[in-house]
């Protein structure tokens, strides 16, 4: 039994950094953010005490922020420092990446320089399957594979762009640039909701002044103390402040 009388039931799924459990309530799941950190398809991995709770707190705050902007998410509430209660969604096996500035795989794979502003933002959709290394899809493939209908695809992209505006403003007000981020969505009673997490593991964040990394790139490319950076972002995210 965890705090708030939520019973951790049978495991549903265990990913690289989170585990999912049933609860005693139908349709509600418990997401436990673990201290594991991985990169390069699991090729690099470590355990960093406190990392799970930092990502849980940031995800909870950002899901709440989206809800405040009438964007529906799976988030119900935090249960304790590192776990949250969520609605059970029928997950869509896609990773929806929104890019505001060229970085990461975009500059590795295409002839575009790091730091190039992308206006309008670029949406890239990958098929979520580690064994296939999350291959990039296009609209025709998504429709051919019957992952979504055309209306659902349009709606999902529109949501991704709205979320980008909300999150970019929120971070800008805290001296942070939202370079890019990854979302996962799920179906819920005819609607499409944001699922999974929105944390330093799934966003690329740069310090607005120094352009230094404030995300998992610090771990991927050994740029410094990743836990200190995650703490710094968490403090800024949790600080009460006006969004622009
Ligand atoms: P890139 O394609 O440049 O590696 O990643 C673009 C953005 O999506 C980054 O913010 C990155 O953290 C996020 N992202 C891409 N793939 C994954 C993934 O499999 N898991 C997580 N957590 N984030 C991802």
């Amino acid at each position: 039994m965890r705090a708030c009388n939520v019973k951790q039931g049978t495991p549903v799924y265990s990913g690289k950094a989170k585990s999912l459990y049933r609860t005693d309530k139908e349709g509600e799941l418990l997401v436990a953010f673990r201290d594991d950190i991985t990169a390069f398809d699991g090729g690099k991995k470590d355990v960093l005490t406190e990392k799970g709770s930092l990502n849980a707190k940031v995800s909870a705050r950002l899901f709440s922020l989206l809800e405040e902007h009438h964007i529906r998410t799976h988030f119900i509430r935090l249960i304790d420092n590192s776990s949250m209660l969520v609605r059970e969604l029928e997950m869509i096996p896609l990773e929806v990446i929104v890019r505001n500035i060229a970085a990461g795989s975009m500059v590795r794979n295409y002839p575009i320089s790091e730091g190039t502003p992308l206006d309008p933002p670029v949406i890239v959709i990958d098929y979520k399957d580690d064994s296939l290394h999350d291959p990039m899809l296009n609209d025709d493939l998504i429709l051919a594979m019957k992952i979504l209908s055309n209306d659902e695809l349009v709606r999902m992209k529109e949501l991704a762009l709205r979320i980008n505006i909300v999150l970019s403003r929120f971070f800008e007000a805290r001296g942070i640039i939202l370079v890019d981020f990854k979302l996962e969505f799920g179906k819920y009673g005819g609607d499409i909701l944001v699922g999974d997490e929105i944390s330093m593991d799934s966003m690329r964040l740069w310090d607005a002044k120094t352009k230094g990394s404030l995300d998992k790139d610090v771990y991927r490319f050994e740029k410094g103390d990743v836990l200190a950076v995650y703490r710094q972002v968490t403090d800024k995210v949790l600080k009460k402040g006006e969004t622009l």
Side-chain angles (χ1 to χ4, degrees), residues 92 94-98 121-125 137-140 142-143 148-165 181 183 185 192:
I92 301 165
L94 299 176
E95 296 193 344
V96 181
I97 295 159
V98 184
V122 170
I123 297 183
V124 174
I125 304 182
L137 295 171
N138 65 17
D139 290 6
D140 286 352
I142 293 170
L143 299 180
L148 293 175
S149 69
N150 192 54
D151 284 353
E152 288 167 336
L153 181 55
V154 168
R155 165 116 182 100
M156 192 183 71
K157 286 192 199 173
E158 179 199 280
L159 278 169
L161 291 176
R162 276 177 57 204
I163 292 166
N164 183 40
I165 292 171
F181 61 102
L183 295 168
F185 292 93
I192 293 181

Side-chain angles (χ1 to χ4, degrees), residues 177-193:
I177 300 170
L178 179 61
V179 175
D180 56 41
F181 61 102
K182 186 257 313 176
L183 295 168
E184 292 183 29
F185 292 93
K187 296 183 192 179
Y188 184 81
D191 202 356
I192 293 181
L193 272 60

Side-chain angles (χ1 to χ4, degrees), residues 157-228:
K157 286 192 199 173
E158 179 199 280
L159 278 169
L161 291 176
R162 276 177 57 204
I163 292 166
N164 183 40
I165 292 171
V166 173
L167 295 182
S168 293
R169 286 185 181 156
F170 179 85
F171 280 109
E172 191 184 342
R174 287 158 179 78
I176 296 174
I177 300 170
L178 179 61
V179 175
D180 56 41
F181 61 102
K182 186 257 313 176
L183 295 168
E184 292 183 29
F185 292 93
K187 296 183 192 179
Y188 184 81
D191 202 356
I192 293 181
L193 272 60
V194 187
D196 196 50
E197 69 183 297
I198 311 177
S199 73
M200 290 73 80
D201 278 11
S202 60
M203 296 182 283
R204 183 167 278 120
L205 304 169
W206 288 353
D207 183 299
K209 282 203 191 104
T210 66
K211 306 288 188 292
S213 292
L214 300 173
D215 56 67
K216 200 155 92 172
D217 275 355
V218 175
Y219 173 73
R220 288 188 187 103
F221 305 111
E222 300 183 2
K223 294 182 180 191
D225 181 347
V226 64
L227 214 45

Side-chain angles (χ1 to χ4, degrees), residues 5-169:
N5 297 327
V6 175
K7 190 167 168 266
Q8 181 178 309
T10 51
V12 178
Y13 168 82
S14 189
K16 291 196 282 284
K18 298 190 298 301
S19 300
L20 204 55
Y21 300 90
R22 298 227 157 268
T23 64
D24 45 2
K25 193 162 170 197
E26 177 79 24
E28 292 187 1
L29 300 176
L30 185 153
V31 182
F33 287 72
R34 304 195 314 269
D35 286 337
D36 302 290
I37 185 162
T38 71
F40 309 119
D41 269 346
K44 178 173 159 96
K45 45 181 139 176
D46 284 286
V47 177
L48 300 174
T49 307
E50 200 194 338
K51 182 245 175 192
S53 83
L54 298 171
N55 275 353
K57 285 178 203 160
V58 167
S59 274
R61 175 67 189 106
L62 297 180
F63 282 135
S64 303
L65 175 75
L66 296 183
E67 297 277 356
E68 286 158 25
H69 286 80
H70 313 290
I71 296 167
R72 297 183 71 195
T73 78
H74 69 159
F75 179 67
I76 299 173
R77 65 172 185 274
L78 271 178
I79 295 169
D80 58 30
N81 264 343
S82 60
S83 50
M84 58 173 62
L85 190 65
V86 301
R87 294 175 189 86
E88 182 172 9
L89 310 182
E90 185 196 330
M91 288 308 289
I92 301 165
L94 299 176
E95 296 193 344
V96 181
I97 295 159
V98 184
R99 299 178 179 277
N100 294 305
I101 295 178
S105 67
M106 185 169 182
V107 302
R108 279 200 307 278
N109 297 335
Y110 305 98
I112 185 164
S113 312
E114 183 174 78
T116 308
L118 305 168
D119 188 13
V122 170
I123 297 183
V124 174
I125 304 182
D126 291 345
Y127 183 61
K128 189 178 162 68
D129 186 331
D130 278 343
S131 69
L132 300 174
H133 306 291
D134 299 342
M136 183 160 74
L137 295 171
N138 65 17
D139 290 6
D140 286 352
L141 282 165
I142 293 170
L143 299 180
M145 290 163 73
K146 300 196 188 321
I147 296 173
L148 293 175
S149 69
N150 192 54
D151 284 353
E152 288 167 336
L153 181 55
V154 168
R155 165 116 182 100
M156 192 183 71
K157 286 192 199 173
E158 179 199 280
L159 278 169
L161 291 176
R162 276 177 57 204
I163 292 166
N164 183 40
I165 292 171
V166 173
L167 295 182
S168 293
R169 286 185 181 156

